[in-house]
Amino acid sequence: DSIVVYQAYSPAIAAYAVEHQQFGGSNFSFDRMSWIKTSFAWMQYRCGWNTKPRQERTLAVRIKREAFNSIVANAVGSRFIEELHGTKENYEKIKKASQIRRQWDPDYIPNIQFQRLERRAIQLGLRGETLRRYASEWIVSIEDITPYVEEMRSRLE
């Protein structure tokens, strides 16, 4: 039971991840938030079909479904909601303490000139111990799908 999420990285980070089937190495930072995306189209919108610096390779990361469910369940939204958080100060405390950020972004039809859809796509920011667990123990497999991305990009141009 697993789910695929997408991430775009530099060639060095991607090569290490595929070879070791986990994230790490000298180029990967555990000191920053790392964002996973469930939408392939949203990932390509963000990385410009792998044309942006340090986002030249797209990885399909298959993770355990129970881990993904836990990530979603423990995520703190990226927007203050008074009914949920009470005060902005309380929200900032909750957000600062959380290792997982949830953000809903526009989803897109995969195209060179992306067309925004009405639906939203979730992206989840991971840091701290959650990122460490994601990077090693929750991964089922990591596949470099850059050749597929490049083929799609050329077909759409």
Side-chain angles (χ1 to χ4, degrees), residues 60-113:
V61 183
R62 184 170 296 279
I63 63 172
K64 296 173 184 175
R65 182 61 193 237
E66 65 189 34
F68 180 80
N69 291 349
S70 176
I71 290 168
V72 172
N74 291 294
V76 172
S78 59
R79 291 184 324 132
F80 166 70
I81 301 171
E82 187 174 0
E83 297 79 21
L84 183 61
H85 304 111
T87 65
K88 286 188 179 184
E89 293 77 22
N90 187 49
Y91 170 66
E92 290 302 323
K93 281 188 355 188
I94 293 168
K95 191 169 74 167
K96 186 176 182 179
S98 173
Q99 295 183 14
I100 308 166
R101 188 76 37 81
R102 178 187 61 248
Q103 189 168 306
W104 290 97
D105 295 309
D107 203 0
Y108 293 87
I109 294 174
N111 206 327
I112 294 301
Q113 304 297 321

Side-chain angles (χ1 to χ4, degrees), residues 107-126:
D107 203 0
Y108 293 87
I109 294 174
N111 206 327
I112 294 301
Q113 304 297 321
F114 285 92
Q115 180 182 349
R116 189 180 279 200
L117 297 169
E118 289 296 316
R119 71 178 183 216
R120 308 293 274 180
I122 194 171
Q123 69 170 332
L124 298 156
L126 313 176

Side-chain angles (χ1 to χ4, degrees), residues 5-15 17 23 27-28 32-61 123 134 142-146 149 153:
V5 296
Y6 301 95
Q7 292 188 277
Y9 283 110
S10 69
I13 291 174
F23 291 101
N27 295 295
F28 187 86
R32 58 181 292 277
M33 190 164 274
S34 184
W35 292 85
I36 59 175
K37 296 163 180 61
T38 58
S39 168
F40 173 80
W42 173 242
M43 180 73 264
Q44 296 317 307
Y45 172 78
R46 292 292 295 154
C47 73
W49 292 98
N50 291 133
T51 61
K52 294 183 179 178
R54 296 178 305 281
Q55 298 181 53
E56 300 93 343
R57 305 263 296 269
T58 296
L59 302 179
V61 183
Q123 69 170 332
Y134 163 77
I142 301 175
E143 180 183 359
D144 185 345
I145 61 170
T146 303
V149 171
R153 185 178 66 226

